[in-house]
């Protein structure tokens, strides 16, 4: 580990040709920036578009239908307070966590700690170099957890990339002691099957359970064998984090044969991801519930026994969902919002060709009681602004905005920006605020935009893949009551009881 101290609502009239090209562009994937000091986590981050598509983009900018590169636009009820550019960690910015006056920002090269006691002027406290995509980040007490989902030579922060086909390669969870925010200390590492793409904390008084989501096994990977139809569970003693260890691998998709029992994907379900693990899990400890977004499946399960989660219900959408990416409960736990990351986050899917139901959020009501609860589909939500076909745009990470009696959330859409929307009526969701930048490029499909956008103690914080850390102020009578809700800690995938 190396500690680095820094020195310092509109529909656009994009043509049918451009929209059709955007559909083809959805087949492209934009992978994260290379890690430092060792590249190799991903291929190129951009792809050329046709001359006609580039011309369409420039024409839309000239007609003021989309913002120009470098231009910021937003609704009247949002104010952009500040942007803090990347500093010594040049990789892809990823997820966020919060604790007291601090924000913790993941980056494919490590993580950065901000003092946000003055949201208008965040101050960098420390930056830690520890490469390993995607460095999904959470905090609990004096512990910080970091996911590594790229095959490395070892578990150290000095590791280099190494093929997953080699038995000695390492992927998994890292644990840091952050009692001194200016000097985080690396204290433990736990290897997990297929690495750790994301993780979710289930905190208890003496221990922290970590649910590790990972996927895409291969018979050629010694430590990531199919069917890989479950999640890894790690137990971390708070007073002895160096004793962190795997305590189980519960199977969530039981089935016979080498592929397990999840969604078979293509050719049975064309355009749908085969389920070989989970991408993200959100827990609601106050209700002993969890929701899993697992590639081709969405699941609801009980976590009364955190070491033995029990699946209650499972749903699929083989018409409009390509990749179940993440999940968010409303406060009453009678709704779940699942997101579809069509194109893997690297495609232009916010256009007329893709339409309003793909690359969107799916809203499900939770009906019934106990182990007989069911997920019932009610509607889709997608931002109502078409983006350029050079902009990667799809539903991504967001959080609730705590308003009693209302279901409102803020959400990142990559280069689609940040959207605040109301799903109190599950079948009629509507946007109430937005913030976005113009495209990074007018002639190439280039990866960027907001990875995560979360509401914390009165402000919206966004981690932009390329531009850095943004702070937004939302002023609206529909959301202003949330300013009275104060949290001491927020890991969005461990949803708090905001009103307890």
């Amino acid at each position: 580990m190396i500690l680095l101290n820094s020195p310092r609502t509109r529909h656009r009239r994009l043509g049918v040709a451009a929209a059709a090209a955007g559909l083809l562009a959805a087949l492209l994937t934009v992978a994260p920036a290379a890690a430092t000091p060792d590249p190799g986590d991903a291929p190129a981050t951009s792809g050329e578009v046709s001359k006609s598509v580039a011309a369409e983009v420039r024409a839309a900018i000239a007609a003021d239908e989309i913002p120009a590169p470098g231009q910021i636009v937003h609704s009247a009820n949002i104010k952009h307070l500040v942007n803090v550019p990347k500093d010594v960690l040049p990789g892809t910015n990823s997820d966020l966590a919060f604790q007291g006056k601090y924000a913790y920002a993941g980056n494919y090269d490590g993580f950065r700690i901000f003092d946000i006691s003055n949201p208008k002027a965040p101050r960098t406290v420390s930056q830690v170099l520890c490469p390993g995509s995607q460095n999904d980040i959470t905090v609990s007490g004096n512990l910080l957890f970091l996911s590594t989902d790229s095959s490395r030579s070892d578990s150290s922060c000095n590791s280099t990339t190494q093929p997953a086909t080699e038995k000695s390669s390492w992927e998994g969870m890292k644990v840091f002691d952050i009692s001194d925010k200016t000097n985080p200390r690396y204290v433990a590492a736990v290897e997990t099957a297929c690495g750790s793409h994301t993780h979710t904390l289930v905190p208890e008084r003496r221990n922290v359970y970590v649910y590790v989501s990972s996927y895409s096994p291969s018979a050629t990977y010694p430590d990531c064998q199919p069917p890989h139809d479950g999640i890894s569970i790690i137990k971390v003693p708070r007073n002895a984090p160096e004793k962190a260890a795997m305590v189980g691998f519960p199977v969530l998709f039981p089935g016979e044969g080498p592929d397990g029992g999840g969604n078979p994907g293509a050719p049975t379900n064309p355009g749908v991801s085969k389920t070989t693990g989970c991408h993200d899990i959100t827990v609601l400890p106050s209700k002993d519930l969890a929701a899993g977004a697992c590639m081709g499946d969405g699941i609801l399960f009980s976590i009364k026994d955190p070491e033995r989660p029990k699946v209650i219900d499972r749903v699929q959408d083989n018409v409009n969902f390509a990749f179940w990416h993440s999940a968010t409960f409303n406060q009453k736990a009678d709704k779940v919002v699942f997101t579809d990351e069509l194109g893997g986050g690297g495609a232009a899917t916010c256009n007329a060709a893709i339409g309003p139901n793909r690359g969107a959020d799916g809203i499900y009501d939770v009906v019934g009681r106990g182990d007989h609860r069911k997920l019932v589909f009610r509607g889709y939500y997608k931002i109502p602004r078409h983006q350029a076909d050079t902009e990667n745009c799809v539903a991504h990470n967001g959080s609730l905005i705590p308003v009693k009696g209302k279901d409102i959330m803020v959400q990142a859409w990559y280069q689609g920006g940040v959207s605040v929307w109301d799903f109190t009526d599950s079948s009629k969701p509507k946007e109430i605020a937005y913030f976005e930048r113009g495209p990074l490029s007018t002639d190439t499909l280039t990866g960027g935009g907001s990875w995560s956008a979360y509401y914390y103690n009165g402000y919206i914080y966004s981690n932009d893949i390329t531009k850095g850390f943004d702070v937004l102020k939302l002023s609206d009578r529909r959301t202003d009551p949330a300013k009275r809700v104060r949290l001491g800690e927020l890991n969005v995938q461990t949803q708090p009881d905001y009103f307890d």
Side-chain angles (χ1 to χ4, degrees), residues 74-403:
H74 54 81
S75 54
N77 53 359
I78 275 188
K79 183 178 181 180
H80 185 212
L81 297 183
V82 67
N83 170 262
V84 183
K86 292 182 187 180
D87 191 14
V88 292
L89 299 175
T92 294
N93 278 338
S94 57
D95 214 356
L96 295 168
F98 304 89
Q99 188 182 67
K101 67 177 185 178
Y102 299 102
Y104 301 81
N107 179 286
Y108 275 59
D109 292 334
F111 62 92
R112 185 175 184 178
I113 302 178
F114 291 99
D115 182 334
I116 55 171
S117 52
N118 180 1
K120 295 180 181 179
R123 180 177 60 86
T124 298
V125 176
S126 58
Q127 299 182 73
V128 174
L129 175 64
C130 195
S133 66
Q134 58 184 3
N135 278 342
D136 191 46
I137 192 168
T138 57
V139 292
S140 183
N142 288 326
L143 300 178
L144 180 148
F145 303 86
L146 209 61
S147 285
T148 299
D149 193 36
S150 58
S151 188
R152 314 294 299 180
S153 56
D154 55 56
S155 63
S156 76
C157 286
N158 297 316
S159 68
T160 57
T161 56
Q162 184 168 289
T165 52
E166 294 188 21
K167 176 62 179 173
S168 63
S169 295
W170 186 92
E171 298 180 62
M173 288 298 308
K174 295 169 181 170
V175 185
F176 292 77
D177 184 318
I178 52 170
S179 49
D180 180 357
K181 307 294 186 295
T182 66
N183 188 24
R185 185 169 56 90
Y186 187 10
V187 294
V190 180
E191 186 172 13
T192 56
C194 302
S196 175
H197 194 72
T198 67
H199 68 272
T200 304
L201 302 186
V202 185
E204 294 188 333
R205 183 172 299 177
R206 295 182 179 180
N207 306 297
V208 180
Y209 287 97
V210 185
Y211 288 180
V212 176
S213 297
S214 56
Y215 52 91
S216 295
S218 169
T220 65
Y221 301 160
D223 299 319
C224 182
Q225 293 284 302
H228 192 69
D229 46 11
I231 58 173
S232 300
I233 300 181
I234 298 171
K235 184 178 180 180
V236 185
R238 290 189 184 276
N239 294 330
E242 68 279 0
K243 296 181 180 180
M246 278 272 296
V247 293
F249 185 86
V251 173
L252 302 179
F253 304 97
E256 297 180 0
D259 296 328
N263 196 318
T268 303
N269 297 315
V272 177
S273 295
K274 176 182 176 180
T275 299
T276 58
C278 291
H279 180 279
D280 216 331
I281 291 170
T282 293
V283 298
L284 192 56
S286 63
K287 306 290 187 182
D288 290 327
L289 281 177
C294 303
M295 304 182 72
D297 294 87
I299 58 174
L300 181 72
F301 54 101
S302 167
I303 56 168
K304 286 182 180 179
D305 182 345
E307 293 189 24
R308 298 170 182 82
K310 177 183 177 181
V311 175
I312 296 173
D313 193 27
R314 169 180 150 198
V315 290
Q316 297 177 355
D317 180 346
N318 294 318
V319 175
N320 288 316
F321 261 46
F323 188 92
W324 295 67
H325 175 275
S326 52
T328 302
F329 286 100
N330 68 338
Q331 183 59 47
K332 291 182 179 180
D334 58 7
K335 297 175 188 174
V336 182
V337 174
F338 289 103
T339 67
D340 171 26
E341 196 183 34
L342 174 68
T349 72
C350 296
N351 53 35
I354 299 298
N357 297 336
R358 301 176 62 209
D361 296 308
I363 306 161
Y364 287 74
D365 285 355
V366 181
V367 300
R369 295 183 179 182
D371 290 351
H372 300 289
R373 282 172 283 194
K374 297 291 183 182
L375 292 164
V376 179
F377 175 76
R378 295 301 188 201
Y380 296 107
Y381 171 75
K382 192 171 185 178
I383 56 172
R385 295 172 308 287
H386 289 158
Q387 304 295 304
D389 285 319
T390 56
E391 294 181 279
N392 62 312
C393 176
V394 75
H396 211 233
N397 294 343
S399 76
L400 288 184
I401 297 179
V403 179

